[in-house]
Amino acid sequence: MRLEELNPPYEGIDAERISQWVPPDAEVEPLHTVRMYLKNHPLLAERMRPLAWFLLDPSISSLDVRARELAVARTCGRTNCESQWGVHQAVYGEVAEITPEQRLSTVKGSPEDDVWSERDRVILRAVDELIDTHGLSDEQWAALRGHLDEAQTLELLVLTGWYLLNCITTNVIQTPLEPFALRFPS
């Protein structure tokens, strides 16, 4: 890892900052990426936390968990970010009903693979086009809008950008894989 991270025991202000990211009864350490941000740029971590929690909280997010996790998995797969991909698949993969064949496709496949529904394909194509062109064609925009309302569409764009940012940071910092995370399928 190219930058240091906070390590236990967490005391004083570090304990307070950690508590903002992880419930007190959590059975795992805070993610390496979170601990890296808290050690090296706590103000940036503090500013990032509300958006991170918003995007992951099903009680306030406009996206259903499947749409969210397909976009996250594809973004992580396309950026070769096993760390972020593995955490999301371990925590949300089953809840989002992502099968082993679909996991493989998010990393090594295509939206055209037989494992996807039409809605899934539209989401995955949108993610691919966002990563490849940093925009969406009128055709892809219309396809996406055929499945998502205005809020969901906007949130999918932000979510993809957010995970692109996280994947780039995780890859550049060379963040280690979390012990509980899944590994890329082979």
Side-chain angles (χ1 to χ4, degrees):
M1 192 159 166
R2 289 179 164 167
L3 293 175
E4 291 182 28
E5 61 186 63
L6 287 180
N7 289 303
Y10 308 114
E11 298 174 352
I13 190 73
D14 290 340
E16 289 177 39
R17 288 177 174 147
I18 288 285
S19 73
Q20 296 293 313
W21 284 89
V22 179
D25 58 345
E27 296 179 17
V28 296
E29 280 293 309
L31 299 177
H32 290 293
T33 305
V34 169
R35 293 166 37 211
M36 178 277 299
Y37 276 116
L38 289 172
K39 171 81 174 174
N40 296 284
H41 204 323
L43 183 58
L44 180 59
E46 181 182 320
R47 297 299 188 256
M48 292 173 75
R49 185 176 46 79
L51 182 56
W53 288 117
F54 170 83
L55 293 170
L56 295 175
D57 185 342
S59 71
I60 55 177
S61 171
S62 67
L63 289 172
D64 60 88
V65 68
R66 181 157 179 95
R68 181 190 75 207
E69 290 307 316
L70 288 176
V72 171
R74 188 62 174 174
T75 303
C76 296
R78 289 289 311 277
T79 57
N80 198 35
C81 188
E82 186 174 27
S83 178
Q84 294 281 336
W85 183 93
V87 166
H88 274 265
Q89 288 305 300
V91 176
Y92 301 108
E94 272 189 44
V95 176
E97 299 179 353
I98 298 175
T99 68
E101 296 80 16
Q102 291 170 338
R103 285 185 176 135
L104 177 63
S105 184
T106 64
V107 176
K108 297 183 178 187
S110 158
E112 308 318 312
D113 292 345
D114 291 337
V115 298
W116 303 116
S117 70
E118 185 53 33
R119 182 178 188 261
D120 293 345
R121 282 189 181 98
V122 167
I123 290 166
L124 295 169
R125 286 180 196 130
V127 170
D128 282 359
E129 191 169 320
L130 287 166
I131 290 170
D132 292 343
T133 71
H134 312 122
L136 284 180
S137 65
D138 290 341
E139 178 184 15
Q140 186 56 50
W141 175 261
L144 197 57
R145 293 289 290 119
H147 294 274
L148 304 178
D149 66 21
E150 291 88 354
Q152 293 168 324
T153 302
L154 188 56
E155 194 169 326
L156 184 79
L157 300 175
V158 170
L159 176 76
T160 302
W162 176 255
Y163 275 91
L164 190 56
L165 164 87
N166 283 310
C167 289
I168 290 168
T169 303
T170 299
N171 287 343
V172 170
I173 301 302
Q174 299 175 353
T175 305
L177 300 173
E178 301 294 341
F180 67 90
L182 298 184
R183 301 306 187 247
F184 276 160
S186 46

